[in-house]
Amino acid sequence: MLNTPTRMLLVAAIICLSAALALAQDAAPRRLALLDDAATVETLAAALDDADVVVARTAARLLPSRGEAAVSAVGAALGHTDPLVRRNAAMNLHRLGNAGIALADRALGDESELVRQGVVYSLIELPQTAEVAALVQRAQEDESALVRATAIAAARAAFTTAEAIPLPREGWLIKTDTEEVGVDEKWFAVDLDEAGWTPIAIEEFWGDRGPSSGVGWYRLQFDLPAREKPTRAQLDFQAVDESAWVWLNGEFAGEHDLGPNGWDTPFRLDVTDGLNWGGANQLTVRVLNSAMAGGIWKPVSIVILEPAD
Amino acid sequence: MRTLIAALVVLVSAGSLAVAQEVEETVQLAEPFMTEYSGEDATGEHVIALWAFNQPDPAADLSGNGHDLTLNGAEFVEGGRFGGGALRSYRGWPDVDDPHQARTAASPALTPAGAFTVEMWIQAADDLTEYPEAFLLDSKYVDDLGMQLILTRESAPHQRRLRMSLGFGNKSEAWQSDPISVEPGVWRHIAFTWDGDGTGRFLVDGSAAGGETKPGLAAIATARHPVIIGDRFGSYYHGFPGLIDQVRISNGVLEFSPAGFEMLPGRSVFMRMETASDVRFVLTNRQRQTLEGARAVFALSGLSPQVVELPPIASGERHQLSFRMDTSLRPEEYSLSATVEVPSDPPFSSTEQFDITIVPRQLPNTMPVVMWGGVQGEDHLRALRDIGFTHYIGLSCDFNAIWEANAPVAPGSPEAIAANRVRLDEALRNGMRIVSGLSPARTLRSNEEYQRVLHDGSKHEDVCGLFDRVQDFCYNVGVSMDNAYGDHPGFGAALIHTEVRGGSRPCFHDHDRAAFREYSGFDIPEAVRDMRGVHYDTIDGFPPNRVIPDDDPLYVYYRWLWRGGDGWNELHTRVHDGLPAREDFWTFHDPAVRAAKVYGSGGDVDYLSQWTYSYPDPLRIGLATEEMLQMAEGAERPDQQIMKMTQIIWYRSQTAPEPGEEAQVQTGTFADQDVRPQGTGTVDTSGRYLARWEREIPDARFITIAPMHMREAFWTKIARPIQGIQYHGIGSLLPGVTHGSYRYTHPEAKFELQRLVDSVVKPLGPTLRQVPARQSDVALLESFASEIFTRSGTYGWNGGWTGDMWLIALYAGLQPEVIFDETIEQEGLDDYKVLILPGAEVLTETLANAIQAFQDRGGIVVGDETLCPAITPDILVETHSRPREADEGRAINVEKGLALREQLDPHYARHADSSNPDVVPYVRSWGTTDYLFAVNDRREFGDYVGHHKLVMENGLPAEATLTMARGGRVYDLVNHREVETAQADGRITIARQFGPAEGLVYMVTERPIASIRLTAPQETTSGSRVTIAAEILDDAGERIDAVVPVRVDLLDPAGHAAEFSGWYGATGGGVEVNADLAINDMPGLWQIRVQELASGKTASAYLRVSAG
């Protein structure tokens, strides 16, 4: 009656269940023991080697709270094979004070984006020294969109909006990418031949000028006034329906891809180093829409940030 | 024919709000048939012919139209009805096949051109007895022309019927009267009227004696034969052995009743034992003189006659009177005879019959099955009833009239109210109830004076709920409907303000600002624009760890707004407060969780409800159900509960692509017929597979839910403590229902639903309604702070990451209880061992602290990578965007569910578990008894929509081992048998195979069911109350600590199931039925039969009922 994969799945589940029942007698109390305030660094450090990952994660979460005495153990946690053990340690590095900064520097090189994201969470809890700011800045340049977005948000928290420069509603061009060749053909190139592109306004859905389902590209040429390079500058999209990949002056600036749920969600991308102040700029946005309306349907602006007091 | 213009003030509606309507109508006066016709009645223009058989010229046509008679075997004799002459005829064949008739000359003038009336007096001779059919008048013979009036053969001693055959040229049609008494020596006046439009009626001595309407007919065809009186035109001759007098043929439909009863459209259907039980009539005196000394006699199928002495009523005038129904009579259809007795010399009476129905009362805890939509005629009503629906939407309301009056008034014209009351009768007669859809405040959207004002001062097309006038209006609507229909048990429920918040916006009237200022002590934050909140990305200085203070102004504002600051909840409450307070009347609001996750959405309505489309995963319906449970849990009224609706319609756009050009349009074959599919789809010219519905209805925008999705969604929702089930999309459920875009594309859906209702809802509903959820030790937080500061949330759609995370939890064998911020604030997290935090990016300080404390004392936190940085999860489930292909999306969730299980299992023990992630368990509890549900979610793509890969619509079999962390006995409540289990180490293990999309419910008790103790008296009299007690006992003779489903039957000596027969939930193992036997219940030996539906045990007792 059951096909082979399903039968295997069933068997696996039963085995899993049996094994779990056996473990449950031990792992749960071992974890509860760690939660006792009296649990020592040594106890917690030893728990990092526990066969049960949740026990080890609990130890990694708690270790930083033990302060400098736990630095070595936290370092060990950051080398654990389970990425969530490493993440739990990374998320709590700030509890080590300055001792945590070096570990944060190390953990930002972790192979798991979840761990690197955890580091950023820890950094935001530390005094925003130049050293910490540099780490946050490094995270903003991370290869992972998740880490970049987290770092940008973290950086923004340390800043306040000094100025917002709205990009024009009119003057944009659009082209449907039915065959999805735009990336390969570099439709984001500054000197792209824009013949065949159609004028469109933003702050409204693309209607029949974009695909009912699929990819459309927006391009905009705009000038910026001359000024000193700000401490931080971000591209602020109030909403794109539904996913967006952004290039500024030919360089990839970041993405916003939450699936269909992202249609109404604002997002920002750090473009501090990418803007051409006192000259022409070229912005390209690849928009994916899977259902209903699509497009850059809310305002876009450049936000200048200055450190908060 | 005489008429009078009569005026009468009648009350056209019942209830506490009687609507006076002055009626001015033409009253047709009765023919003076008790006297010899003279004057206009003899020679008027409407008279075609009149024969009175009086000397000196008994053959004369007294109308003056020259249709004199010739005798042909009959005789003119003395002894007529009025002391003069009469025509005597005799028996013909088989005694002697000779004519015994009087005949006219053939004349086209004797065939009426349109409506007509034929009448005569007859007096049977002794030898009519045992003679077969006797012809009274014939111009038709064997043609399809003219008319033929016959007295049929006896059906009982002296009982015959009249039969009139009319020829219409190419066919003949016949009408039969009710049985009439034709006793030898007794004069009877008989008449037949034809309205020229299909309706023929018989009257005997001025009383209605039956009739029928046959559409599509008009005037009769001109006869080629003469008019024969007292016999047939030709052989075989069938004369009438007896006397005939005063034969008249007239144009037009004449009236003979001396007084006519008209039942007002208040009530003709009653619920047993209801107290507001008058049937109201208008009596019209149709005599040409004042009706004096008369009385009206009412009798219900010969029972309990009531006599009303009538005041003098002038000719053509009307008088209102009522009959007090005895609703204690047994439930059945009755014929109410209304007789007016006229004290003339000799006295005579006229009787009319009216259909009255008494229906049984609803049994306690019957589970409503609501069609969220109207019906188109009684055929559809009956179709819904047969499927098992108990309610449907109807009853219009004139909101504008109530708004204009600014007070309770009639919610419609007298005609509209009367029509609605007829619909209520119709519903009640079929054992159903009508739900009134009342969204009064929606109707004010375009009223600029009361519209919402946005932050920039512009108007928004939605009403502001804080205006006193609007709130009063909502209350007045409720009161108006109560006054008009509240007395009628057919008015069963109200749907209040459906779909109102989706398009709403925060309002900035001065009174809105003042209300918030009074609540919070500060002004509405500047950033507020819409209902969904403000993304933290746009807020300068937002805390980097995303922990906000509890008094964050935006948080405080949005919580105030959604908990009632926008006024909607109060508007719901006001409508509810105005509506009937009857125990059997209830209100609901939907879609209740299309709102941010705070308590109170729905105001004080009795039930919250929410609709759900089953694709792509039927299990998702459980999430909205859980959200509602939490919302009701936190409602201000402590007894608020929930119902759950499944959409019968599926959006084409979510299940299949738009049609290609290759699609061949074939209309009128599939959608309009109630047929099973014949074969499946076909391959089109381009080699593309098309399901049958795609081929035949290529433009379908909404199609029918796949039956197996319906089944799985049903089991998912019924597993949870819902009080009723609802469905929407009658146009996709039944054939032939007109709906602009809903198409009937899967004929099996209605059969599937009927099976589910018959096998689960009806027998188990009264039990399941009493069993609450088991307190889960796994919580899933739908964080309000995160909703508001990330502009996210399910809003009842079950989608997004929260929906997927919820499914992952189910596939991990968890039973997560959805909780809100307020749950943690008010009740903490002590009840839980596992806390799941999907998309909980932002938390308040109180919640963050509570979650940290929960974790510090051993609780397991399951989060995702978006979780508020203040919380370090023990287990992280990474978010993902659901892929387009349904199988891939499900596989990802199952895989993540198994991974979650693997990490949780060493730390968390489930009360109930399944070895197979495809089989999802859920537990409810009552006392020491658990109710274990499980549903099979294993599915594959089918050929209905599955070929497009968006929905896996077909179920597959699965097998699973179910376990429970307890001992006890297990009973299958659907199949009514004990289940074989293995028990060891305090755990129950059940191996089970599941059919496609199959669900189950097991009752798990501490002790076995050993017997039923049935207590009932042995003797009683009809009209008495009998108390019957059934107790489900364990092996120690104690009641089972459970709500046990029980079937109780009270069978009268004829085997008819009396009122109170049906399904019960035996609370605490016992049920007591107080049966009110009716005075007209059948005496004799009654059987009382009880079956408990857990192990199937039965018990019987016998009751001797004597006539009371």
Side-chain angles (χ1 to χ4, degrees), chain B residues 675-923:
Chain B
V675 294
R676 304 287 177 106
Q678 297 166 357
T680 54
T682 56
V683 175
D684 68 8
T685 52
S686 64
R688 189 182 57 164
Y689 173 83
L690 291 174
R692 184 176 171 188
W693 68 268
E694 291 176 281
R695 177 166 47 86
E696 298 188 359
I697 321 171
D699 62 343
R701 311 306 308 167
F702 295 90
I703 63 174
T704 308
I705 186 175
M708 283 192 237
H709 258 236
M710 176 185 274
R711 186 186 306 162
E712 187 180 338
F714 168 84
W715 276 106
T716 303
K717 68 182 182 182
I718 203 76
R720 290 162 175 82
I722 59 176
Q723 295 296 310
I725 61 174
Q726 304 192 0
Y727 291 87
H728 170 68
I730 188 172
S732 291
L733 184 69
L734 298 178
V737 177
T738 304
H739 189 287
S741 52
Y742 295 178
R743 305 309 296 263
Y744 174 72
T745 59
H746 209 310
E748 292 294 333
K750 60 181 178 297
F751 298 116
E752 178 63 33
L753 183 55
Q754 184 170 353
R755 278 191 290 271
L756 292 168
V757 173
D758 284 346
S759 62
V760 181
V761 177
K762 286 180 179 173
L764 306 183
T767 294
L768 297 180
R769 288 190 72 177
Q770 298 183 61
V771 179
R774 177 186 170 82
Q775 173 62 56
S776 178
D777 53 10
V778 178
L780 185 148
L781 173 68
E782 291 200 31
S783 158
F784 176 69
S786 301
E787 284 184 329
I788 292 307
F789 288 106
T790 66
R791 297 172 59 79
S792 62
T794 63
Y795 286 85
W797 291 103
N798 311 306
W801 170 239
T802 299
D804 281 320
M805 188 68 230
W806 190 77
L807 286 173
I808 288 166
L810 295 191
Y811 293 137
L814 303 176
Q815 183 175 321
E817 174 187 346
V818 170
I819 62 172
F820 299 163
D821 288 10
E822 292 139 302
T823 319
I824 298 178
E825 291 168 7
Q826 296 176 19
E827 299 171 27
L829 288 165
D830 290 348
D831 289 333
Y832 308 106
K833 294 176 180 170
V834 178
L835 176 61
I836 303 171
L837 300 168
E841 292 189 48
V842 180
L843 297 170
T844 62
E845 286 176 358
T846 293
L847 260 69
N849 291 337
I851 294 169
Q852 287 167 349
F854 164 80
Q855 198 175 25
D856 286 345
R857 64 175 179 270
I860 302 281
V861 172
V862 179
D864 56 47
E865 74 278 10
T866 72
L867 176 60
C868 172
I871 307 298
T872 305
D874 298 294
I875 297 172
L876 189 142
V877 182
E878 284 190 74
T879 64
H880 64 270
S881 292
R882 190 181 175 86
R884 177 184 179 278
E885 288 74 15
D887 56 342
E888 292 180 20
R890 184 179 183 279
I892 292 170
N893 286 338
V894 171
E895 184 183 347
K896 289 186 173 180
L898 289 172
L900 174 59
R901 165 186 281 278
E902 185 180 0
Q903 296 171 80
L904 265 182
D905 277 355
H907 301 272
Y908 172 70
R910 294 160 186 75
H911 183 64
D913 203 357
S914 163
S915 64
N916 183 347
D918 291 332
V919 175
V920 178
Y922 186 92
V923 182

Side-chain angles (χ1 to χ4, degrees), chain A residues 1-3 6 9-10 13-14 16-17 20-21 23-28 31-32 35 52-55 57-58 61-62 84 87-88 91-92 95 113-114 117 121 124-125 146 150 153-154 156-157 159-161 236 238 257-261 263-268 291-292 298 305, chain B residues 530 532 535-546 654 790-791 799-801 852 855-861 864-876 878 881 894 898 901-903 905-907 910 913-918 938 957-961 963 987 993:
Chain A
M1 177 184 291
L2 298 176
N3 57 32
T6 307
L9 189 66
L10 189 62
I14 294 171
C16 196
L17 180 63
L21 286 172
L23 276 173
Q25 296 175 352
D26 299 318
R31 175 172 177 271
L32 291 175
L35 296 169
D52 184 274
V53 289
V54 174
V55 174
R57 287 172 201 164
T58 301
R61 172 170 66 87
L62 296 171
L84 294 183
R87 186 177 195 265
N88 281 10
M91 285 185 69
N92 292 279
R95 299 185 194 281
E113 63 176 0
L114 293 174
Q117 182 201 35
Y121 285 158
I124 61 179
E125 297 290 345
L146 172 69
T150 305
R156 188 167 63 250
F159 289 82
T160 187
T161 303
D236 180 293
Q238 287 295 301
D257 182 15
L258 303 178
N261 296 327
W263 74 280
D264 190 28
T265 306
F267 62 96
R268 288 186 181 187
M292 311 291 281
K298 284 199 173 178
L305 302 174
Chain B
D530 61 25
R532 296 190 63 193
H535 199 285
Y536 67 79
D537 264 350
T538 65
I539 300 173
D540 280 343
F542 195 83
N545 67 354
R546 304 200 293 268
Q654 301 297 306
T790 66
R791 297 172 59 79
W801 170 239
Q852 287 167 349
Q855 198 175 25
D856 286 345
R857 64 175 179 270
I860 302 281
V861 172
D864 56 47
E865 74 278 10
T866 72
L867 176 60
C868 172
I871 307 298
T872 305
D874 298 294
I875 297 172
L876 189 142
E878 284 190 74
S881 292
V894 171
L898 289 172
R901 165 186 281 278
E902 185 180 0
Q903 296 171 80
D905 277 355
H907 301 272
R910 294 160 186 75
D913 203 357
S914 163
S915 64
N916 183 347
D918 291 332
R938 185 166 172 245
E959 55 187 88
T961 301
T963 54
R987 297 184 71 82
Q993 293 198 338

